Amino acid sequence: AIQEHFEDFYEDIFEELAKFGELEGLNVCDNTSDHLIGNVYVKFREEESALAALNALSGRFYSGRPILCEFSPVTDFRESTCRQYE
């Protein structure tokens, strides 16, 4: 049931983000740390697509929770891990 919920969420967010341009990466955090739960990182091919997505999604809600968008300095998702417990 949890895997099905995750897959539905991933599909929802992918389809919504793809409206703004080509995606190069999509990372959904399934972390045990509270500060990362629900975080989604997306990398667009074009910076203009990222800006359009940020503007369109800011102020919206998903499943009753606000969507909070911001640009991230992370350019390589392999480096986007939490090091709080290292």
Side-chain angles (χ1 to χ4, degrees):
I2 292 174
Q3 183 65 31
E4 186 177 320
H5 176 73
F6 176 82
E7 289 171 4
D8 289 344
F9 174 77
Y10 192 95
E11 185 177 330
D12 286 349
I13 198 71
F14 182 89
E15 288 177 359
E16 187 64 27
L17 291 168
K19 294 176 183 177
F20 302 102
E22 185 178 345
L23 305 179
E24 288 192 348
L26 179 61
N27 187 15
V28 177
C29 293
D30 60 348
N31 198 302
T32 57
S33 299
D34 288 343
H35 69 286
L36 288 179
I37 291 175
N39 282 12
V40 175
Y41 296 90
V42 60
K43 183 176 181 181
F44 284 94
R45 184 174 186 88
E46 302 292 332
E47 196 171 314
E48 295 79 18
S49 300
L51 180 60
L54 183 138
N55 290 334
L57 296 174
S58 292
R60 288 181 49 190
F61 289 80
Y62 182 88
S63 193
R65 297 181 64 186
I67 298 173
L68 307 172
C69 302
E70 62 184 44
F71 287 118
S72 170
V74 174
T75 57
D76 185 343
F77 284 161
R78 291 172 296 189
E79 297 298 320
S80 66
T81 58
C82 177
R83 293 178 176 80
Q84 179 178 358
Y85 297 107
E86 284 186 349

